[in-house]
Amino acid sequence: RNAAQFGKGIYLSPVGSGGRAGMMAASPQYASRDADRVQHVLFCEVATGEPEQVRDGGCAGSDQDKPSSEHVDTGVDTLVKRTDGTVDYTKAVRLVVWTNKMNEFILPV
């Protein structure tokens, strides 16, 4: 339902990403119906790797379909750099895993 707002990939909601937003992925409203009108929700464990902040492409979307460099693995809509050089992505509402990384970073539970 996010289309390509933050790039082309698999959109997930990090648990604890603020109120109900953390439960976004578990809501049936975000699961499309298949040909038999059945909805599926995949509960999974996600390794974020080294995230980068991705640009919000708005209605036009973003054409990003892979990490911007070999040093990052996933994308988040909100990324805060700490003074010690580490990054904090706990405020992120959307986590993007690009399709070239999905089998490595998304594990069904």
Side-chain angles (χ1 to χ4, degrees), residues 20-89:
R20 285 186 53 90
M23 294 303 293
M24 182 187 307
S27 172
Q29 81 182 49
Y30 292 98
S32 299
R33 295 185 187 278
D34 66 13
D36 296 321
R37 309 227 2 104
V38 175
Q39 290 177 288
H40 302 273
V41 176
L42 173 67
F43 290 93
C44 55
E45 184 173 342
V46 179
T48 58
E50 188 63 38
E52 67 176 318
Q53 185 163 349
V54 291
R55 182 182 65 81
D56 181 346
C59 293
S62 169
D63 60 356
Q64 184 172 355
D65 61 356
K66 61 183 180 271
S68 63
S69 81
E70 64 185 41
H71 303 291
V72 295
D73 303 301
T74 57
V76 292
D77 61 349
T78 306
L79 185 72
V80 178
K81 294 198 183 228
R82 297 183 182 124
T83 55
D84 65 1
T86 61
V87 294
D88 176 7
Y89 54 87

Side-chain angles (χ1 to χ4, degrees), residues 6 10 15 17 33 37 65 76 104-105:
F6 292 92
I10 299 158
V15 172
S17 59
R33 295 185 187 278
R37 309 227 2 104
D65 61 356
V76 292
E104 186 179 349
F105 286 87

